[in-house]
Amino acid sequence: MMGFFYFVAGVNHFRNPEAYYKIIPPYLPWHSFINIVSGVCEIGFAILLFIPATRKFACYGIILMLIAFIPTHIYMLGSCWMIKGECMPQWLLWVRLLALQPLFIYWAWKMKD
């Protein structure tokens, strides 16, 4: 399930790059490059999750990737991230940062064994 989740998320970086450009903090350079690397990493780690010999490596990679995404989640708290023409509610952004991110990190940590 985790592999499918990250594979779909990674593919979405290429299907809808504009959505990701908007949430990359402006102080980071090369938004297009960051988006491509993020998508490739998500797809790559997803594939590696399906191979028992590389699952542990993939889990550690996912954990590091999720930690690297934290500045984006913090940036989103201070900006209006649009979904269907409306700003995403602040409470939902806090849930993403304080509940979902740690939950996804924990999930990857548990999958490595």
Side-chain angles (χ1 to χ4, degrees), residues 51-111:
I51 304 166
T54 59
R55 184 171 297 133
K56 190 175 210 172
F57 173 79
C59 288
Y60 284 127
I62 288 169
I63 290 167
L64 291 174
M65 181 179 67
L66 291 171
I67 291 168
F69 290 169
I70 289 174
T72 291
H73 292 289
I74 293 170
Y75 171 69
M76 289 173 69
L77 285 166
S79 62
C80 176
W81 194 50
M82 303 292 276
I83 294 180
K84 297 181 182 176
E86 295 188 26
C87 288
M88 191 176 209
Q90 283 292 112
W91 68 267
L92 191 54
L93 295 172
W94 280 106
V95 168
R96 282 180 55 147
L97 177 62
L98 298 178
L100 291 180
Q101 253 342 66
L103 182 64
F104 289 149
I105 290 169
Y106 178 75
W107 187 18
W109 181 258
K110 293 305 282 182
M111 282 283 298

Side-chain angles (χ1 to χ4, degrees), residues 38-58:
S38 298
V40 167
C41 285
E42 287 179 339
I43 292 168
F45 291 141
I47 292 167
L48 293 176
L49 283 173
F50 292 106
I51 304 166
T54 59
R55 184 171 297 133
K56 190 175 210 172
F57 173 79

